Amino acid sequence: MIPAKLRDALALGLALSCGQALAAEVTIACGSVGSDVEICRKMTDEWAARSGHTVRIFVTPNSSTDQLALYRQQFGAGSGEVDVLMVDVVWPGIVKQHLVDLAPHAREARKEHFPSIIANNTVDGKLLALPWFTDAGVLYYRGDLLKKYNARVPATWNELTATARLIQDGERAAGNRDMHGFVFQGKAYEGLTCNALEWVASFGGGTIVEPDGRISINNAQAAKALDLAASWPGNIAPKNVVSFAEEEARGVFQNGNAVFMRNWSYAWVLAQRADSKVKGRIGMTVLPAGDDAGKGGRGAATLGGWNLAVSRYSKNQAAAIDLVLYLTGKDAQKKRALLVGSLPTHPALYKDADILKSAPYYGQLLDVFNAALVRPSTVTGDKYNAVSSAFWNAAQSALGARGNGTDAVRKLEKDITRVRRGAAW
Ligand code: GLC
């Protein structure tokens, strides 16, 4: 007969030695844009029910830049408050020391994702995050208004500028004083880097820093792109577009107050919901090309997307890894795609009949997504955020008409060279 106290102590010891069998509370930070929190709650509840663990949702700021600042603070303090976090596609080089290597746990799973995203997330041989969804910049338009004004979907940025002006003026004269031609992400943060990179690259002005490390931004085509964008605020775009992130742009468009919007694919499902004023009146297409004369330059879409990672400071690593494998797996990605229209990272899902039925644009825009522009995060590594912030600040001063495009790109070249410190990255 074992005395009760000893029996309990033995049982506890056994439970602790198989630690992971104990139910854990896993904290996940899974975004706050659009219906991120709602969907995250739903998907993590499913995992909790299967695994016996519980999940706490940590709501983050919605800007990628603010999220990065928050995690850097937490990592700096060695805080294990967040076990699972979303990692923007441009962050692996920046946060590499703070994440668990998922390679040993994802030997099979990693083969199911787009190899380019797995490569993006692998730094110094470590797989720092598993792909959750991918994305690219797209142009939304009001099909009803284009029809009313007998205008077509713009093929170039100059055409977009002219059409936006025509419809904005017409609608304002007809009584809608709040109408704007074009909304986008003009706030000083990573979203402006994505927008401005699209303007520059579509004019044939390169990608700020090229994959071989060359700082290319100081060129005439880039200056021309920034000059055109500088003509938008207060003309076809609201003056305060310089404080817009994704959700502010979506708010204006979804309220029926913009002809065109640049945003990510998440806005489609929300703009088509019953509570949207533009439901059934919109289209989604490729962003315009740069130069009218066709001198280099074509429509360019910045590659976006998010991955899931486990913090090195997490005290629940085994459960956290299991949650990441579950959420990034094919079944969960299919559900997410059906619910919110996000773009899976499993190539197989692009042929899935249910998905194609619910979001016909997948097929139509697949070329855009495949050819999406990569921000220079791999080549600049842990200096990417400094490069990007130099770029978004330059784009903001161009938008505020403080200086002109030529001066902006000349100064930017100097700023980025200073960030590089030395001959190589
Ligand atoms: C989207 C993209 C992400 C990008 C961010 C900028 O969330 O998926 O890659 O950095 O927008 O605002």
Side-chain angles (χ1 to χ4, degrees):
M1 229 350 230
I2 310 177
K5 266 200 176 150
L6 179 61
R7 195 188 56 219
D8 289 352
L10 282 174
L12 180 68
L14 194 65
L16 288 176
S17 67
C18 326
Q20 303 312 336
L22 285 177
E25 184 187 68
V26 177
T27 299
I28 179 169
C30 43
S32 57
V33 174
S35 40
D36 277 349
V37 174
E38 193 183 314
I39 183 82
C40 185
R41 162 92 47 218
K42 188 174 161 53
M43 305 294 303
T44 53
D45 277 354
E46 285 181 19
W47 174 79
R50 294 158 67 119
S51 66
H53 298 300
T54 51
V55 176
R56 186 172 78 93
I57 295 190
F58 180 96
V59 179
T60 56
N62 62 22
S63 127
S64 169
T65 301
D66 293 345
Q67 283 180 45
L68 178 61
L70 178 83
Y71 292 135
R72 286 180 128 177
Q73 228 172 34
Q74 291 196 346
F75 291 150
S79 159
E81 169 152 23
V82 170
D83 300 295
V84 175
L85 60 141
M86 277 172 83
V87 169
D88 195 337
V89 71
V90 286
W91 295 355
I94 306 174
V95 291
K96 60 183 178 197
Q97 316 89 292
H98 307 290
L99 304 177
V100 170
D101 179 11
L102 299 175
H105 312 280
R107 287 195 201 290
E108 288 309 308
R110 65 193 294 172
K111 295 185 201 140
E112 293 178 3
H113 298 271
F114 285 120
S116 56
I117 312 182
I118 293 289
N120 179 79
N121 297 355
T122 305
V123 182
D124 303 334
K126 293 189 180 131
L127 178 60
L128 300 173
L130 276 166
W132 197 22
F133 58 91
T134 182
D135 219 339
V138 280
L139 181 71
Y140 290 82
Y141 60 88
R142 285 282 299 277
D144 58 336
L145 292 178
L146 289 183
K147 203 162 160 214
K148 179 170 168 192
Y149 289 83
N150 205 11
R152 56 173 201 169
V153 173
T156 64
W157 287 111
N158 279 324
E159 197 182 335
L160 177 139
T161 308
T163 307
R165 182 82 220 204
L166 171 84
I167 302 181
Q168 173 186 287
D169 290 355
E171 290 298 291
R172 285 187 185 179
N176 183 1
R177 303 297 312 156
D178 295 330
M179 193 64 176
H180 295 286
F182 182 41
V183 288
F184 56 94
Q185 293 76 49
K187 176 176 154 172
Y189 79 123
E190 187 62 26
L192 177 54
T193 288
C194 298
N195 283 242
L197 175 63
E198 285 159 354
W199 311 330
V200 167
S202 69
F203 271 82
T207 57
I208 316 167
V209 178
E210 301 307 307
D212 64 4
R214 188 171 52 89
I215 300 167
S216 62
I217 191 63
N218 185 8
N219 69 77
Q221 289 303 103
K224 204 167 158 185
L226 291 179
D227 283 339
L228 177 62
S231 75
W232 296 334
N235 176 18
I236 59 164
K239 261 208 180 93
N240 65 341
V241 73
V242 293
S243 63
F244 278 19
E246 285 80 5
E247 289 290 82
E248 286 80 9
R250 183 172 69 85
V252 174
F253 185 74
Q254 209 168 295
N255 257 323
N257 291 330
V259 185
F260 299 110
M261 167 175 74
R262 184 272 178 207
N263 216 320
W264 306 96
S265 59
Y266 86 96
W268 177 259
V269 169
L270 296 169
Q272 290 288 41
R273 280 215 303 218
D275 61 355
S276 162
K277 293 206 176 129
V278 297
K279 178 177 169 24
R281 299 199 262 151
I282 59 170
M284 182 187 191
T285 189
V286 184
L287 286 162
D291 226 301
D292 289 311
K295 286 185 235 128
R298 55 191 178 96
T302 299
L303 178 75
W306 291 83
N307 309 280
L308 288 175
V310 174
S311 160
R312 240 186 67 194
Y313 314 104
S314 160
K315 299 200 172 57
N316 303 302
Q317 289 187 9
I321 292 167
D322 193 58
L323 176 57
V324 168
L325 287 168
Y326 176 75
L327 290 175
T328 56
K330 204 162 130 201
D331 293 347
Q333 285 205 9
K334 176 169 172 175
K335 274 193 194 150
R336 199 173 197 282
L338 292 175
L339 287 165
V340 293
S342 55
L343 297 159
T345 62
H346 292 254
L349 290 175
Y350 288 81
K351 297 194 188 91
D352 183 282
D354 300 330
I355 290 186
L356 290 174
K357 200 167 137 223
S358 88
Y361 56 84
Y362 274 38
Q364 195 193 326
L365 292 177
L366 197 54
D367 288 348
V368 177
F369 297 124
N370 282 336
L373 276 179
V374 176
R375 283 165 274 172
S377 55
T378 300
V379 62
T380 58
D382 59 0
K383 300 195 180 89
Y384 173 74
N385 195 50
V387 170
S388 183
S389 86
F391 182 61
W392 78 58
N393 283 325
Q396 261 241 325
S397 26
L399 282 179
R402 280 171 270 147
N404 62 39
T406 308
D407 291 341
V409 294
R410 192 178 305 133
K411 176 171 178 302
L412 185 53
E413 181 183 41
K414 286 200 188 112
D415 291 346
I416 299 181
T417 307
R418 208 170 303 129
V419 170
R420 187 177 61 189
R421 265 193 258 123
W425 285 101

